[in-house]
Amino acid sequence: MDKKSIAKRTNVLVVIIALVFLVLVGRVAYLQLIETEHYRTLARENSLRLITISAPRGEIYDRNGVKLVGNRPLYAVSLVNLGQSREELEPVVEKLAAILGRTPEELWDAIDNHSLRRYEPIRLARDVSLEIVSRIEEAQMELPGVVIDFEPMREYPYGNFLAHVLGYIREIQPDQLARYQADGYRRGDVFGQAGLEHAMERELRGIPGARQLEVDAVGRPVRSLGVKNPVPGHDLTLTIDFEVQRAAEEALARIVESLQKEGYRDCRAASAVVIDVRSGAVLALASYPAYDPRMFAGDLSAEQARVLLTSPEGPFLNRAIQSDYPPGSTFKMVVAAAALESGKIDRRFAVTDPGYFYHQGQRYNCLGAHGRVDVVRGIQVSCNTFFLAAGLRTGPENIFRMAHDFGLGERTGIELAAEAAGVLPTAEYKRKMVQAELDRRFGPQFEAIEEHYRSQLPGTDEARREELKRERERERAKIQAQYDRYAWDLLWRDYDTLNMSIGQGLNNYTPLQLANYVAAIANGGYLYRPYLVQRVTDPNGRVVKEAVPELRRRVSVSPENLDILREGMRLVNQPGGTAYGSFFDFPVTTAGKTGTAEVWGRDSHGLYVAFAPYEEPEIAIAVVVEHGGPGSRAAAPVARTIMDAYFGFLTQNGE
């Protein structure tokens, strides 16, 4: 290569280097002179972090201002990232686990499962005692990065009181987080899991605050730059009356304990509902047994929560709205109303009760031989003979319509989730139910026959094949004969009407539905939507929502016929009535109806419904005692105690 070529190539290389240099200089100049502010902002933002501060949830009060749910500050132990390696953290974790009374593995789980935001403290324990706080502070030199914080903690001062209505909170679950992340929820936030804590989560939650931190290049906190205070959630004022609720809960617990001692071993649960008949406001909604929502306030593992939630006693089941029961004789006012309104009977219609009722060769027993019985006396003495006769005259369609009119077999719309609809058994409902049972029982038998011969037929000669087909048809015919025997029950029969007329058969209603139905009888036929939250108030004391009575419909019963029902119910609590024993000395005139719902192979459920005062009704009550025997002995005494509390007749010791 000659000198000329070398010089030429050198010049080209110099030009290239110069161009590259010029591009670099230009880029630097652009970043320095034009994009300076943009990158300065990015750098500043990269060094700033926001740590969420939980907002205190709104508090909950009864109608008279008794605080039912509040908040209190708690001590929480957290670990701040100081850039330590795992080896450097091991003695810290060992020391802290010993102080907290936990295993190092539990703390490592929390540390390892923490999010990737290194500036956020890792919460290791909540609601620790002052003694533990003191021990941590004394050992602070050995616990670098361990800090003590204050957090608001949900407080339920009365333990399991009103637990099914209030509900409880826990750390938001993964499925909930996925559903509500757009609303600003993050892992570790608390979330209402049941009751009003869940139903009113949006109102109770509040607005979280934040602490701004400056962090270094690897995300470690350097200094605090300020705090945005959280905004507490809205407070709730309920329709619940503390004293009435307490009386109901205590009475349910006492009656279950008493009946168990008397030999009703399956009697383990009960419920009661009290409604203001003038508005639908719920004064008491009690379910026994209950749980203590405080169990969920501290650290609770998933396994511990599973054990609690699957307890065989079912303390988390709100029986007042989630369980449905055959109503027994408390249903007889529906039959009476249907019979009167359809014109199938009138006030003068009467039957002679010899103590039983015969229909199509079947004997149906009564509670006794009541002699001549009209509709008022039929309710007073709970005469099965009268209502069996009246029910047959009235027909199932009229009874269906009347039961539906009173809101039986449909959800009431109360604020709480998972309310049961109950069962109002129409002819179509029965057909579907029986058909499903037939399919379950005989479907596999038919299929087994087909499967057996399907494997036999191939490879056989014509004669053998025909013989196998005949065998198959004979076996199918045997099963079909059994099927046809039970298929007779697909249609609604007279015995269904008779069972329904005395509140047995397929009827199943919740205690809340029963209380609301009786409220409509008491108030002149107005069926309201029951409600629990009277008022929502913001942190500044402003009312943001006030509940007003919501009329669902007016039941199609004339004032005259409602008077007949109420008169019969009044006599239930008078001499000769089935609940006189519980109300003989009660100073206020009341009205009620006992019910004893038969349960196959077990003790009957005891029921009682009532309203009071008779002249100017204020409250309606429904009580159900599972497997407690006759309603007059199991449920009516509970209602009496509730009325004592409502009218102020209870002494300080509850007697």
Side-chain angles (χ1 to χ4, degrees), residues 164-165 245 252 269-275 282 284-289 316-325 412 414 416 418-420 509-516 622-624 626:
H164 298 93
V165 171
Q245 176 74 25
L252 291 177
S271 57
V273 178
V274 185
I275 287 179
V282 178
L285 195 144
S287 179
Y288 177 87
F316 290 89
L317 179 64
N318 186 351
R319 290 173 165 82
I321 68 165
Q322 294 175 328
S323 294
D324 49 32
Y325 305 88
T412 67
I414 195 169
L416 302 177
E419 180 187 10
Y509 310 117
T510 69
L512 179 62
Q513 290 172 351
L514 293 175
N516 214 30
V623 178
V624 178
E626 292 184 13

Side-chain angles (χ1 to χ4, degrees), residues 626-644:
E626 292 184 13
H627 308 294
S632 58
R633 293 185 64 246
V638 174
R640 165 62 191 267
T641 301
I642 291 172
M643 288 191 189
D644 282 333

Side-chain angles (χ1 to χ4, degrees), residues 574-590:
Q574 298 297 313
T578 54
Y580 177 63
S582 291
F583 290 90
F584 69 94
D585 60 346
F586 196 68
V588 175
T589 306
T590 61

Side-chain angles (χ1 to χ4, degrees), residues 365-618:
N365 291 325
C366 194
L367 298 175
H370 297 112
R372 187 177 184 279
V373 179
D374 61 14
V375 61
V376 170
R377 181 167 165 73
I379 294 173
Q380 179 191 17
V381 299
S382 200
C383 179
N384 284 350
T385 299
F386 176 87
F387 283 98
L388 292 168
L392 274 183
R393 277 173 168 256
T394 304
E397 293 301 328
N398 287 322
I399 300 175
F400 297 154
R401 280 195 290 272
M402 188 56 65
H404 178 265
D405 221 19
F406 275 111
L408 299 175
E410 64 178 14
R411 294 179 179 88
T412 67
I414 195 169
E415 295 97 326
L416 302 177
E419 180 187 10
V423 177
L424 175 57
T426 62
E428 179 60 15
Y429 172 85
K430 182 193 175 188
R431 188 193 66 75
K432 289 182 177 177
M433 191 194 71
V434 175
Q435 184 64 63
E437 176 61 19
L438 290 172
D439 291 344
R440 185 194 66 80
R441 180 182 297 185
F442 295 104
Q445 296 184 45
F446 283 123
E447 181 59 32
I449 292 172
E450 292 299 323
E451 180 63 27
H452 173 73
Y453 285 98
R454 195 180 295 123
S455 62
Q456 296 287 321
L457 288 173
T460 58
D461 58 31
E462 182 65 23
R464 178 57 181 161
R465 189 155 50 245
E466 290 303 317
E467 182 181 353
L468 286 171
K469 287 181 178 179
R470 287 193 293 273
E471 289 179 7
R472 180 183 64 186
E473 292 308 311
R474 283 195 294 272
E475 292 189 29
R476 281 185 57 87
K478 290 180 183 176
I479 303 300
Q480 186 66 47
Q482 296 179 46
Y483 181 97
D484 292 343
R485 179 183 170 196
Y486 290 102
W488 178 84
D489 204 29
L490 283 166
L491 299 178
W492 187 271
R493 303 291 179 180
D494 277 356
Y495 68 80
D496 294 310
T497 303
L498 292 170
N499 281 332
M500 188 176 202
S501 299
I502 56 174
Q504 294 292 156
L506 302 174
N507 297 275
N508 276 293
Y509 310 117
T510 69
L512 179 62
Q513 290 172 351
L514 293 175
N516 214 30
Y517 135 65
V518 172
I521 293 175
N523 67 17
Y526 297 93
L527 189 72
Y528 289 105
R529 182 183 72 84
Y531 62 99
L532 286 160
V533 180
Q534 182 59 53
R535 192 177 309 114
V536 179
T537 309
D538 72 12
N540 296 317
R542 289 191 294 262
V543 175
V544 296
K545 183 179 180 182
E546 179 83 37
V548 294
E550 181 182 329
L551 182 65
R552 294 168 63 193
R553 58 178 167 268
R554 180 88 184 269
V555 299
S556 55
V557 184
S558 69
E560 296 76 16
N561 288 334
L562 285 172
D563 283 343
I564 293 173
L565 304 184
R566 287 192 289 260
E567 173 62 7
M569 293 179 70
R570 183 185 70 83
L571 294 176
V572 168
N573 293 353
Q574 298 297 313
T578 54
Y580 177 63
S582 291
F583 290 90
F584 69 94
D585 60 346
F586 196 68
V588 175
T589 306
T590 61
K593 183 70 193 80
T594 55
T596 304
E598 295 179 359
V599 182
W600 179 256
R602 304 176 73 179
D603 291 322
S604 302
H605 298 317
L607 297 95
Y608 182 71
V609 295
F611 67 86
Y614 171 74
E615 296 83 3
E616 295 289 338
E618 297 176 11

Side-chain angles (χ1 to χ4, degrees), residues 269-339:
S271 57
V273 178
V274 185
I275 287 179
D276 187 326
V277 305
R278 300 160 295 188
S279 63
V282 178
L283 304 182
L285 195 144
S287 179
Y288 177 87
Y291 63 94
D292 189 342
R294 293 176 298 190
M295 295 184 298
F296 296 94
D299 293 322
L300 191 70
S301 69
E303 177 59 18
Q304 289 172 316
R306 188 193 64 77
V307 171
L308 285 171
L309 293 169
T310 57
S311 167
E313 299 298 325
F316 290 89
L317 179 64
N318 186 351
R319 290 173 165 82
I321 68 165
Q322 294 175 328
S323 294
D324 49 32
Y325 305 88
S329 293
T330 63
F331 190 72
K332 286 175 177 172
M333 285 82 76
V334 171
V335 180

Side-chain angles (χ1 to χ4, degrees), residues 252-272:
L252 291 177
R254 280 198 302 271
I255 199 69
V256 168
E257 181 182 4
S258 171
L259 289 170
Q260 285 180 343
K261 289 179 179 176
E262 291 181 24
Y264 291 93
R265 295 183 178 178
D266 289 337
C267 180
R268 297 174 183 171
S271 57

